[in-house]
């Protein structure tokens, strides 16, 4: 199976969020991090699977998910000033939001 660049990026992003949520739980006992990271990773796994068959739907779900994470983690970064994890995650999510928007505009044409 040959994966598209969008699928590879989505899979990497999902893994990043899932591992980050697990790290937050293991290091700080944060169940909130575990649940949020796991849920976000699960949604992005759906996006990954749906991209080849329905790129408009998949990119739309990806935009909403990554934009929400950009907003939440960006505001947390502004409030706490902590580069990791809030600053890093907000930047990665912003980049992925742009990637999904790019994919969406290419799919709609």
């Amino acid at each position: 199976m040959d994966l598209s660049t969008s699928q590879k990026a989505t899979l990497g992003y999902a893994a990043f969020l899932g591992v980050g949520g697990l790290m937050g739980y293991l290091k700080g006992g944060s169940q909130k991090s575990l649940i949020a990271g796991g849920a976000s990773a699960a949604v992005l796994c759906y996006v990954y699977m749906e991209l080849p068959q329905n790129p408009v739907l998949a990119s739309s779900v990806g935009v909403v998910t990554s934009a929400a994470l950009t907003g939440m983690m960006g505001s947390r970064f502004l409030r706490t000033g902590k580069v990791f994890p809030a600053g890093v995650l907000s930047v990665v999510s912003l980049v992925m939001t742009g990637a999904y928007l790019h994919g969406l505009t290419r799919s709609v044409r």
Side-chain angles (χ1 to χ4, degrees):
M1 177 165 78
D2 194 28
L3 298 179
S4 69
T5 302
S6 299
Q7 284 181 293
K8 290 175 188 174
T10 297
L11 203 54
Y13 185 40
F16 179 69
L17 292 171
V19 169
L22 182 61
M23 283 176 48
Y25 176 73
L26 294 175
K27 285 184 80 175
S30 172
Q31 290 181 339
K32 207 169 161 181
S33 290
L34 182 63
I35 292 167
S40 298
V43 169
L44 290 167
C45 284
Y46 169 77
V47 170
Y48 160 79
M49 292 186 303
E50 202 61 32
L51 271 168
Q53 296 90 354
N54 196 346
V56 173
L57 173 65
S59 294
S60 298
V61 172
V63 165
V64 170
T65 303
S66 58
L69 286 167
T70 300
M72 288 186 294
M73 296 309 276
S75 68
R76 182 174 294 169
F77 170 69
L78 292 174
R79 190 174 65 247
T80 65
K82 292 185 179 180
V83 174
F84 191 80
V88 172
L89 185 54
S90 62
V91 170
V92 170
S93 295
L94 181 63
V95 168
M96 288 304 294
T97 300
Y100 289 125
L101 283 171
H102 175 71
L104 189 58
T105 58
R106 286 188 54 193
S107 298
V108 173
R109 290 184 198 181

Coordinates of all heavy atoms in Angstrom, one line a residue:
M1 N 0.9 -1.2 0.0 CA 0.0 0.0 0.0 C 0.9 1.2 0.0 O 1.8 1.4 0.9 CB -0.9 0.0 1.2 CG -1.8 1.2 1.4 SD -3.1 1.0 2.5 CE -2.3 1.2 4.1
D2 N 0.7 2.1 -1.0 CA 1.4 3.3 -1.1 C 0.7 4.5 -0.4 O -0.4 4.8 -0.8 CB 1.7 3.6 -2.6 CG 2.7 4.7 -2.8 OD1 3.6 4.8 -2.0 OD2 2.6 5.4 -3.8
L3 N 1.3 5.0 0.6 CA 0.7 6.1 1.4 C 1.0 7.5 0.7 O 2.1 7.7 0.3 CB 1.2 6.1 2.8 CG 0.9 4.9 3.6 CD1 1.5 5.1 5.0 CD2 -0.6 4.6 3.7
S4 N 0.0 8.3 0.7 CA 0.2 9.7 0.2 C 0.9 10.5 1.3 O 1.0 10.1 2.5 CB -1.2 10.4 -0.1 OG -1.9 10.6 1.1
T5 N 1.4 11.6 0.9 CA 2.1 12.5 1.9 C 1.1 13.0 3.0 O 1.5 13.0 4.1 CB 2.7 13.7 1.1 OG1 3.6 13.3 0.1 CG2 3.4 14.7 2.1
S6 N -0.1 13.2 2.6 CA -1.1 13.6 3.5 C -1.4 12.5 4.6 O -1.5 12.8 5.8 CB -2.4 14.0 2.8 OG -2.3 15.0 1.9
Q7 N -1.4 11.3 4.1 CA -1.6 10.2 5.0 C -0.4 10.0 6.0 O -0.6 9.8 7.2 CB -1.9 8.9 4.3 CG -3.2 8.8 3.7 CD -3.4 7.5 2.9 OE1 -2.7 7.3 1.9 NE2 -4.2 6.6 3.5
K8 N 0.8 10.1 5.5 CA 2.0 10.0 6.3 C 2.0 11.1 7.4 O 2.3 10.9 8.5 CB 3.2 10.1 5.5 CG 3.4 8.9 4.6 CD 4.6 9.1 3.7 CE 4.8 8.0 2.7 NZ 5.8 8.2 1.7
A9 N 1.7 12.4 6.9 CA 1.7 13.5 7.9 C 0.6 13.3 9.0 O 0.8 13.5 10.1 CB 1.5 14.8 7.2
T10 N -0.6 12.8 8.5 CA -1.7 12.6 9.5 C -1.3 11.5 10.5 O -1.6 11.6 11.7 CB -3.0 12.2 8.7 OG1 -3.3 13.4 7.9 CG2 -4.1 11.9 9.7
L11 N -0.7 10.4 10.0 CA -0.3 9.3 10.9 C 0.7 9.8 11.9 O 0.7 9.5 13.1 CB 0.2 8.2 10.0 CG 0.2 6.8 10.6 CD1 -1.2 6.4 11.2 CD2 0.6 5.8 9.6
G12 N 1.7 10.6 11.4 CA 2.7 11.1 12.3 C 2.1 12.1 13.4 O 2.5 12.0 14.5
Y13 N 1.2 12.9 12.9 CA 0.5 13.8 13.8 C -0.3 13.1 14.9 O -0.3 13.4 16.1 CB -0.4 14.7 13.0 CG -1.1 15.9 13.7 CD1 -0.5 16.6 14.7 CD2 -2.4 16.2 13.3 CE1 -1.1 17.7 15.3 CE2 -3.0 17.3 13.9 CZ -2.4 18.0 14.9 OH -3.1 19.0 15.5
A14 N -1.0 12.0 14.4 CA -1.8 11.2 15.4 C -0.9 10.5 16.4 O -1.2 10.5 17.6 CB -2.6 10.2 14.6
A15 N 0.2 10.0 15.9 CA 1.2 9.4 16.8 C 1.8 10.4 17.8 O 1.9 10.1 19.0 CB 2.3 8.7 16.0
F16 N 2.1 11.6 17.3 CA 2.6 12.6 18.2 C 1.6 13.0 19.3 O 2.0 13.1 20.5 CB 2.9 13.9 17.3 CG 3.4 15.1 18.0 CD1 4.7 15.1 18.6 CD2 2.6 16.2 18.1 CE1 5.2 16.2 19.2 CE2 3.1 17.3 18.8 CZ 4.4 17.3 19.3
L17 N 0.3 13.1 19.0 CA -0.7 13.4 20.0 C -0.9 12.3 20.9 O -1.0 12.5 22.1 CB -2.0 13.8 19.3 CG -2.0 15.1 18.5 CD1 -3.2 15.2 17.6 CD2 -1.8 16.3 19.4
G18 N -1.0 11.1 20.4 CA -1.2 9.9 21.3 C 0.0 9.7 22.3 O -0.3 9.5 23.5
V19 N 1.2 9.8 21.8 CA 2.3 9.6 22.6 C 2.4 10.8 23.6 O 2.7 10.6 24.8 CB 3.6 9.5 21.8 CG1 4.9 9.6 22.7 CG2 3.7 8.2 21.0
G20 N 2.1 12.0 23.2 CA 2.1 13.2 24.1 C 1.1 13.0 25.2 O 1.4 13.3 26.4
G21 N -0.1 12.5 24.9 CA -1.1 12.3 25.9 C -0.6 11.2 26.9 O -0.8 11.4 28.1
L22 N 0.0 10.2 26.4 CA 0.5 9.1 27.3 C 1.6 9.7 28.2 O 1.7 9.4 29.4 CB 1.0 7.9 26.4 CG 1.5 6.7 27.2 CD1 0.4 6.1 28.1 CD2 2.0 5.7 26.2
M23 N 2.5 10.5 27.6 CA 3.6 11.1 28.4 C 3.0 12.0 29.5 O 3.5 11.9 30.6 CB 4.5 11.9 27.5 CG 5.5 11.0 26.7 SD 6.5 11.9 25.5 CE 7.1 13.3 26.6
G24 N 2.0 12.8 29.2 CA 1.4 13.6 30.2 C 0.8 12.8 31.3 O 0.9 13.2 32.5
Y25 N 0.3 11.7 31.0 CA -0.3 10.8 32.0 C 0.8 10.1 32.9 O 0.7 10.1 34.1 CB -1.2 9.7 31.4 CG -1.7 8.7 32.4 CD1 -2.7 9.1 33.3 CD2 -1.2 7.4 32.4 CE1 -3.2 8.2 34.2 CE2 -1.7 6.5 33.3 CZ -2.7 6.9 34.2 OH -3.2 6.0 35.2
L26 N 1.8 9.6 32.2 CA 2.9 8.9 32.9 C 3.7 9.8 33.8 O 4.1 9.5 34.9 CB 3.8 8.1 31.9 CG 3.1 7.0 31.2 CD1 4.0 6.4 30.2 CD2 2.6 5.9 32.2
K27 N 4.0 11.0 33.2 CA 4.9 11.9 34.0 C 4.1 12.7 35.0 O 4.7 13.0 36.1 CB 5.6 12.9 33.0 CG 6.7 12.3 32.2 CD 7.3 13.4 31.4 CE 8.3 14.1 32.2 NZ 9.1 15.1 31.5
G28 N 2.9 13.1 34.7 CA 2.2 14.0 35.7 C 0.9 13.4 36.2 O 0.2 14.1 37.0
G29 N 0.6 12.2 35.8 CA -0.7 11.6 36.3 C -1.9 12.3 35.7 O -3.0 12.2 36.2
S30 N -1.8 13.0 34.6 CA -2.9 13.7 34.0 C -3.8 12.8 33.1 O -3.4 12.5 32.0 CB -2.4 14.9 33.2 OG -3.4 15.5 32.4
Q31 N -4.9 12.5 33.7 CA -5.9 11.7 32.9 C -6.5 12.5 31.8 O -6.8 12.0 30.7 CB -7.0 11.2 33.8 CG -6.6 10.1 34.8 CD -7.7 9.7 35.7 OE1 -8.7 10.3 35.9 NE2 -7.5 8.5 36.3
K32 N -6.6 13.8 32.0 CA -7.1 14.7 31.0 C -6.2 14.7 29.7 O -6.7 14.6 28.6 CB -7.0 16.1 31.6 CG -8.0 17.1 31.0 CD -8.0 18.3 31.9 CE -8.6 19.5 31.3 NZ -8.6 20.7 32.1
S33 N -4.9 14.7 29.9 CA -3.9 14.6 28.8 C -4.1 13.2 28.1 O -4.1 13.2 26.8 CB -2.5 14.7 29.3 OG -2.2 16.0 29.7
L34 N -4.2 12.2 28.8 CA -4.4 10.8 28.3 C -5.6 10.8 27.4 O -5.6 10.3 26.3 CB -4.4 9.8 29.4 CG -4.5 8.3 28.9 CD1 -3.3 7.9 28.1 CD2 -4.7 7.4 30.1
I35 N -6.7 11.3 27.9 CA -8.0 11.2 27.2 C -8.0 12.1 26.0 O -8.4 11.7 24.9 CB -9.2 11.6 28.2 CG1 -9.3 10.5 29.2 CG2 -10.5 11.8 27.4 CD1 -10.2 10.8 30.4
A36 N -7.5 13.3 26.2 CA -7.4 14.3 25.0 C -6.5 13.8 23.9 O -6.8 13.9 22.8 CB -7.0 15.7 25.5
G37 N -5.3 13.3 24.3 CA -4.4 12.8 23.3 C -4.9 11.6 22.6 O -4.8 11.5 21.4
G38 N -5.5 10.7 23.4 CA -6.1 9.5 22.8 C -7.2 9.8 21.9 O -7.3 9.2 20.8
A39 N -8.1 10.7 22.3 CA -9.3 11.0 21.5 C -8.8 11.7 20.2 O -9.4 11.4 19.1 CB -10.3 11.9 22.3
S40 N -7.9 12.6 20.3 CA -7.4 13.4 19.1 C -6.7 12.4 18.2 O -6.9 12.5 17.0 CB -6.4 14.4 19.6 OG -7.0 15.4 20.4
A41 N -5.9 11.5 18.7 CA -5.2 10.5 17.9 C -6.3 9.6 17.2 O -6.1 9.3 16.0 CB -4.3 9.7 18.7
A42 N -7.3 9.2 17.9 CA -8.4 8.4 17.3 C -9.1 9.1 16.1 O -9.3 8.5 15.0 CB -9.4 7.9 18.3
V43 N -9.4 10.4 16.3 CA -10.0 11.1 15.2 C -9.1 11.2 14.0 O -9.5 11.1 12.9 CB -10.4 12.5 15.7 CG1 -10.8 13.4 14.6 CG2 -11.5 12.4 16.8
L44 N -7.8 11.5 14.3 CA -6.9 11.6 13.2 C -6.6 10.2 12.5 O -6.3 10.2 11.3 CB -5.6 12.2 13.7 CG -5.8 13.7 14.0 CD1 -4.6 14.2 14.8 CD2 -6.0 14.5 12.7
C45 N -6.7 9.1 13.2 CA -6.7 7.8 12.6 C -7.8 7.7 11.6 O -7.7 7.1 10.5 CB -6.6 6.7 13.6 SG -5.0 6.5 14.4
Y46 N -9.0 8.2 12.0 CA -10.1 8.2 11.1 C -9.8 9.0 9.8 O -10.1 8.6 8.7 CB -11.4 8.7 11.8 CG -12.5 8.9 10.8 CD1 -13.3 7.9 10.3 CD2 -12.8 10.2 10.4 CE1 -14.3 8.1 9.4 CE2 -13.9 10.5 9.5 CZ -14.6 9.4 9.0 OH -15.6 9.7 8.2
V47 N -9.2 10.2 10.0 CA -8.9 11.0 8.9 C -7.9 10.3 8.0 O -8.1 10.3 6.8 CB -8.3 12.4 9.4 CG1 -7.7 13.2 8.3 CG2 -9.3 13.2 10.1
Y48 N -6.9 9.7 8.6 CA -5.9 8.9 7.8 C -6.6 7.8 7.0 O -6.3 7.7 5.8 CB -4.9 8.2 8.8 CG -4.2 7.1 8.3 CD1 -3.1 7.3 7.4 CD2 -4.5 5.8 8.5 CE1 -2.3 6.2 6.9 CE2 -3.8 4.7 8.0 CZ -2.7 4.9 7.2 OH -2.0 3.9 6.7
M49 N -7.5 7.1 7.5 CA -8.2 6.0 6.8 C -9.1 6.6 5.7 O -9.3 6.0 4.6 CB -9.0 5.1 7.7 CG -8.1 4.3 8.6 SD -8.9 3.1 9.6 CE -10.1 4.1 10.5
E50 N -9.7 7.7 5.9 CA -10.7 8.3 5.0 C -10.1 9.1 3.9 O -10.8 9.3 2.9 CB -11.7 9.1 5.9 CG -13.0 9.4 5.3 CD -13.8 8.1 5.0 OE1 -13.7 7.2 5.8 OE2 -14.6 8.1 4.0
L51 N -8.9 9.6 4.0 CA -8.2 10.4 3.0 C -8.3 9.9 1.6 O -8.7 10.7 0.7 CB -6.8 10.8 3.4 CG -6.6 12.0 4.3 CD1 -5.2 12.1 4.9 CD2 -7.0 13.3 3.5
P52 N -8.0 8.6 1.4 CA -8.0 8.2 0.0 C -9.4 8.1 -0.7 O -9.6 8.5 -1.8 CB -7.4 6.8 0.0 CG -6.7 6.7 1.3 CD -7.4 7.6 2.2
Q53 N -10.4 7.8 0.1 CA -11.7 7.6 -0.4 C -12.5 8.9 -0.4 O -13.3 9.1 -1.3 CB -12.5 6.5 0.3 CG -12.0 5.2 0.3 CD -11.0 4.9 1.4 OE1 -10.6 5.7 2.1 NE2 -10.6 3.6 1.4
N54 N -12.4 9.7 0.6 CA -13.2 10.9 0.8 C -12.4 12.0 1.3 O -12.4 12.4 2.5 CB -14.4 10.6 1.7 CG -15.5 11.6 1.6 OD1 -15.3 12.7 1.1 ND2 -16.6 11.3 2.2
P55 N -11.5 12.6 0.4 CA -10.6 13.6 0.9 C -11.2 14.9 1.4 O -10.7 15.5 2.3 CB -9.7 13.9 -0.3 CG -10.5 13.4 -1.5 CD -11.4 12.3 -1.0
V56 N -12.4 15.3 0.9 CA -13.0 16.5 1.4 C -13.5 16.3 2.8 O -13.2 17.2 3.7 CB -14.2 16.9 0.4 CG1 -15.0 18.1 1.0 CG2 -13.7 17.2 -0.9
L57 N -14.2 15.2 3.1 CA -14.6 15.0 4.5 C -13.4 14.8 5.4 O -13.4 15.4 6.5 CB -15.5 13.7 4.6 CG -15.9 13.2 6.0 CD1 -16.8 14.3 6.6 CD2 -16.5 11.9 5.9
A58 N -12.4 14.0 5.0 CA -11.3 13.8 5.9 C -10.5 15.1 6.1 O -10.1 15.4 7.3 CB -10.3 12.8 5.2
S59 N -10.3 15.9 5.1 CA -9.6 17.2 5.3 C -10.4 18.1 6.2 O -9.9 18.9 7.0 CB -9.3 17.8 4.0 OG -8.4 17.1 3.2
S60 N -11.7 18.1 6.0 CA -12.6 19.0 6.9 C -12.5 18.6 8.3 O -12.4 19.4 9.2 CB -14.0 18.8 6.4 OG -14.2 19.3 5.1
V61 N -12.5 17.3 8.6 CA -12.4 16.8 10.0 C -11.0 17.1 10.5 O -10.8 17.6 11.7 CB -12.7 15.3 10.1 CG1 -12.3 14.7 11.5 CG2 -14.1 15.0 9.8
G62 N -10.0 17.0 9.7 CA -8.6 17.4 10.1 C -8.5 18.8 10.4 O -7.8 19.2 11.4
V63 N -9.1 19.7 9.6 CA -9.0 21.1 9.8 C -9.6 21.5 11.2 O -9.1 22.2 12.0 CB -9.7 21.9 8.7 CG1 -10.0 23.4 9.1 CG2 -8.9 21.9 7.4
V64 N -10.8 20.9 11.4 CA -11.5 21.2 12.7 C -10.7 20.8 13.9 O -10.5 21.5 14.9 CB -12.9 20.6 12.7 CG1 -13.6 20.7 14.0 CG2 -13.8 21.3 11.6
T65 N -10.2 19.5 13.8 CA -9.4 19.0 14.9 C -8.1 19.8 15.1 O -7.8 20.1 16.3 CB -9.1 17.5 14.6 OG1 -10.3 16.8 14.4 CG2 -8.3 16.9 15.8
S66 N -7.4 20.0 14.1 CA -6.1 20.7 14.3 C -6.3 22.2 14.6 O -5.5 22.7 15.4 CB -5.2 20.5 13.0 OG -5.8 21.0 11.9
A67 N -7.3 22.8 14.1 CA -7.6 24.2 14.5 C -8.0 24.3 16.0 O -7.5 25.2 16.7 CB -8.6 24.8 13.6
A68 N -8.8 23.3 16.4 CA -9.2 23.3 17.8 C -8.0 23.2 18.7 O -7.8 23.8 19.7 CB -10.2 22.2 18.1
L69 N -7.1 22.2 18.3 CA -5.9 22.0 19.1 C -4.9 23.2 19.1 O -4.3 23.6 20.1 CB -5.1 20.8 18.6 CG -5.8 19.5 19.0 CD1 -5.2 18.3 18.2 CD2 -5.6 19.2 20.5
T70 N -4.9 23.9 17.9 CA -4.1 25.1 17.8 C -4.6 26.2 18.8 O -3.8 26.8 19.5 CB -4.1 25.7 16.4 OG1 -3.6 24.8 15.5 CG2 -3.3 27.0 16.3
G71 N -5.9 26.4 18.8 CA -6.5 27.4 19.7 C -6.3 27.0 21.2 O -5.9 27.9 22.0
M72 N -6.6 25.8 21.6 CA -6.5 25.4 23.0 C -5.0 25.4 23.5 O -4.7 26.0 24.5 CB -7.0 24.0 23.2 CG -8.5 23.9 23.1 SD -9.2 22.3 23.5 CE -8.6 21.3 22.2
M73 N -4.1 24.8 22.7 CA -2.7 24.8 23.1 C -2.0 26.1 23.0 O -1.1 26.5 23.7 CB -2.0 23.7 22.4 CG -2.5 22.3 22.7 SD -2.7 21.9 24.5 CE -1.0 21.4 24.9
G74 N -2.5 26.9 22.0 CA -1.9 28.3 21.8 C -2.3 29.2 23.0 O -1.4 29.9 23.5
S75 N -3.5 29.1 23.4 CA -3.9 29.9 24.6 C -3.2 29.4 25.8 O -2.8 30.2 26.7 CB -5.4 29.8 24.8 OG -5.9 28.6 25.1
R76 N -3.0 28.1 26.0 CA -2.3 27.6 27.1 C -0.8 28.1 27.1 O -0.3 28.4 28.2 CB -2.3 26.0 27.1 CG -1.6 25.4 28.4 CD -1.8 24.0 28.4 NE -3.2 23.7 28.7 CZ -3.7 22.4 28.6 NH1 -2.9 21.4 28.3 NH2 -5.0 22.2 28.9
F77 N -0.2 28.1 25.9 CA 1.1 28.6 25.8 C 1.2 30.1 26.2 O 2.1 30.5 26.9 CB 1.7 28.4 24.4 CG 3.0 29.1 24.1 CD1 4.1 28.7 24.8 CD2 3.0 30.2 23.3 CE1 5.3 29.3 24.5 CE2 4.2 30.9 23.1 CZ 5.4 30.4 23.7
L78 N 0.3 30.9 25.7 CA 0.3 32.3 26.1 C 0.0 32.5 27.6 O 0.6 33.4 28.1 CB -0.8 33.0 25.3 CG -0.6 33.1 23.8 CD1 -1.8 33.7 23.1 CD2 0.7 33.9 23.5
R79 N -0.7 31.6 28.2 CA -1.0 31.8 29.6 C 0.2 31.3 30.5 O 0.5 31.9 31.5 CB -2.3 30.9 30.0 CG -2.8 31.2 31.4 CD -4.1 30.5 31.6 NE -4.0 29.0 31.6 CZ -4.5 28.2 30.7 NH1 -5.2 28.7 29.7 NH2 -4.3 26.9 30.8
T80 N 0.8 30.2 30.1 CA 1.9 29.6 30.9 C 3.3 30.0 30.5 O 4.2 30.0 31.3 CB 1.8 28.1 31.0 OG1 2.0 27.6 29.7 CG2 0.4 27.6 31.5
G81 N 3.4 30.2 29.2 CA 4.8 30.5 28.6 C 5.6 29.3 28.5 O 6.8 29.3 28.1
K82 N 5.0 28.1 28.7 CA 5.8 26.8 28.5 C 5.9 26.4 27.1 O 4.8 26.2 26.4 CB 5.1 25.7 29.4 CG 5.2 25.9 30.9 CD 4.7 24.8 31.6 CE 4.8 25.0 33.1 NZ 4.3 23.9 33.9
V83 N 7.1 26.3 26.6 CA 7.3 25.9 25.2 C 6.9 24.4 25.0 O 6.3 24.1 24.0 CB 8.8 26.1 24.8 CG1 9.0 25.6 23.4 CG2 9.1 27.6 24.9
F84 N 7.2 23.6 25.9 CA 6.8 22.2 25.8 C 5.8 21.8 26.9 O 6.2 22.1 28.1 CB 8.0 21.3 25.8 CG 7.7 19.9 25.4 CD1 7.6 19.5 24.1 CD2 7.5 18.9 26.4 CE1 7.2 18.2 23.7 CE2 7.2 17.6 26.0 CZ 7.1 17.3 24.7
P85 N 4.7 21.3 26.7 CA 4.2 20.8 25.4 C 3.4 21.8 24.6 O 3.2 21.7 23.4 CB 3.4 19.6 25.7 CG 2.8 19.9 27.1 CD 3.9 20.8 27.8
A86 N 2.9 22.8 25.3 CA 1.8 23.7 24.7 C 2.4 24.5 23.5 O 1.7 24.5 22.4 CB 1.3 24.7 25.8
G87 N 3.5 25.0 23.5 CA 4.1 25.8 22.4 C 4.3 24.9 21.2 O 4.0 25.3 20.1
V88 N 5.0 23.8 21.4 CA 5.3 22.9 20.3 C 4.0 22.3 19.7 O 3.9 22.3 18.5 CB 6.2 21.7 20.9 CG1 6.4 20.7 19.8 CG2 7.5 22.3 21.3
L89 N 3.1 21.9 20.5 CA 1.9 21.3 20.0 C 1.0 22.4 19.2 O 0.4 22.1 18.2 CB 1.0 20.7 21.1 CG -0.2 20.0 20.7 CD1 0.1 18.9 19.6 CD2 -0.9 19.4 21.8
S90 N 1.0 23.6 19.7 CA 0.3 24.7 19.0 C 0.9 24.9 17.6 O 0.2 25.1 16.6 CB 0.2 25.9 19.8 OG 1.4 26.5 20.1
V91 N 2.2 24.9 17.5 CA 2.9 25.2 16.2 C 2.6 24.0 15.3 O 2.3 24.2 14.1 CB 4.4 25.5 16.4 CG1 5.1 25.4 15.1 CG2 4.6 26.8 17.1
V92 N 2.8 22.8 15.8 CA 2.6 21.6 14.9 C 1.1 21.6 14.5 O 0.8 21.3 13.3 CB 3.0 20.3 15.7 CG1 2.5 19.1 14.9 CG2 4.4 20.2 16.0
S93 N 0.2 21.9 15.3 CA -1.2 21.9 15.0 C -1.5 23.0 14.0 O -2.3 22.8 13.1 CB -2.1 22.1 16.2 OG -1.9 20.9 17.1
L94 N -0.9 24.1 14.1 CA -1.1 25.2 13.1 C -0.6 24.8 11.7 O -1.3 25.0 10.7 CB -0.3 26.5 13.6 CG -0.5 27.7 12.7 CD1 -1.9 28.1 12.6 CD2 0.4 28.8 13.2
V95 N 0.6 24.1 11.7 CA 1.1 23.6 10.4 C 0.1 22.6 9.8 O -0.2 22.6 8.6 CB 2.5 23.0 10.6 CG1 3.0 22.3 9.4 CG2 3.5 24.1 11.0
M96 N -0.4 21.7 10.6 CA -1.3 20.7 10.1 C -2.6 21.3 9.7 O -3.3 20.9 8.7 CB -1.5 19.6 11.2 CG -0.3 18.7 11.3 SD 0.2 17.9 9.8 CE -1.2 16.8 9.4
T97 N -3.1 22.4 10.4 CA -4.3 23.1 9.9 C -4.1 23.6 8.5 O -4.9 23.5 7.6 CB -4.6 24.2 10.9 OG1 -4.8 23.7 12.2 CG2 -5.9 25.0 10.4
G98 N -2.9 24.2 8.3 CA -2.6 24.7 6.9 C -2.5 23.6 5.9 O -3.0 23.7 4.8
A99 N -2.0 22.4 6.3 CA -1.9 21.3 5.4 C -3.3 20.8 5.0 O -3.5 20.5 3.9 CB -1.0 20.2 6.0
Y100 N -4.1 20.7 6.0 CA -5.5 20.2 5.7 C -6.3 21.2 4.9 O -7.1 20.8 4.0 CB -6.3 19.9 7.0 CG -5.8 18.6 7.7 CD1 -5.3 18.7 9.1 CD2 -5.7 17.4 7.1 CE1 -4.9 17.6 9.7 CE2 -5.2 16.3 7.7 CZ -4.8 16.4 9.0 OH -4.3 15.3 9.7
L101 N -6.1 22.5 5.1 CA -6.7 23.5 4.3 C -6.2 23.4 2.9 O -7.0 23.5 1.9 CB -6.5 24.9 4.9 CG -7.3 25.3 6.1 CD1 -6.8 26.6 6.7 CD2 -8.8 25.4 5.7
H102 N -5.0 23.2 2.7 CA -4.4 23.0 1.4 C -5.0 21.8 0.7 O -5.4 21.9 -0.5 CB -2.9 22.9 1.5 CG -2.2 22.6 0.2 ND1 -2.1 23.5 -0.9 CD2 -1.7 21.5 -0.3 CE1 -1.5 23.0 -1.9 NE2 -1.2 21.7 -1.6
G103 N -5.1 20.7 1.4 CA -5.7 19.5 0.9 C -7.2 19.7 0.5 O -7.7 19.2 -0.5
L104 N -7.9 20.4 1.3 CA -9.3 20.7 1.1 C -9.5 21.5 -0.1 O -10.3 21.2 -1.0 CB -9.9 21.4 2.3 CG -11.4 21.6 2.4 CD1 -12.1 20.3 2.4 CD2 -11.7 22.3 3.7
T105 N -8.7 22.6 -0.3 CA -8.8 23.4 -1.5 C -8.4 22.6 -2.8 O -9.1 22.8 -3.8 CB -8.0 24.7 -1.4 OG1 -6.6 24.3 -1.3 CG2 -8.4 25.6 -0.3
R106 N -7.5 21.7 -2.7 CA -7.1 20.9 -3.9 C -8.2 19.9 -4.2 O -8.4 19.6 -5.3 CB -5.8 20.2 -3.6 CG -4.6 21.1 -3.7 CD -3.3 20.4 -3.6 NE -3.3 19.3 -4.6 CZ -2.4 18.4 -4.7 NH1 -1.5 18.3 -3.7 NH2 -2.4 17.5 -5.6
S107 N -8.9 19.4 -3.2 CA -9.9 18.4 -3.4 C -11.2 18.9 -3.9 O -12.0 18.2 -4.6 CB -10.2 17.6 -2.1 OG -9.1 17.0 -1.6
V108 N -11.5 20.2 -3.6 CA -12.8 20.8 -4.0 C -12.8 21.2 -5.4 O -13.8 21.2 -6.1 CB -13.1 22.0 -3.1 CG1 -14.3 22.8 -3.5 CG2 -13.3 21.6 -1.6
R109 N -11.6 21.5 -6.0 CA -11.5 21.9 -7.4 C -12.1 21.0 -8.4 O -12.2 19.9 -8.4 CB -10.1 22.2 -7.8 CG -9.5 23.3 -7.1 CD -8.1 23.5 -7.6 NE -7.4 24.4 -6.7 CZ -6.1 24.7 -6.9 NH1 -5.5 24.4 -8.0 NH2 -5.5 25.5 -6.1

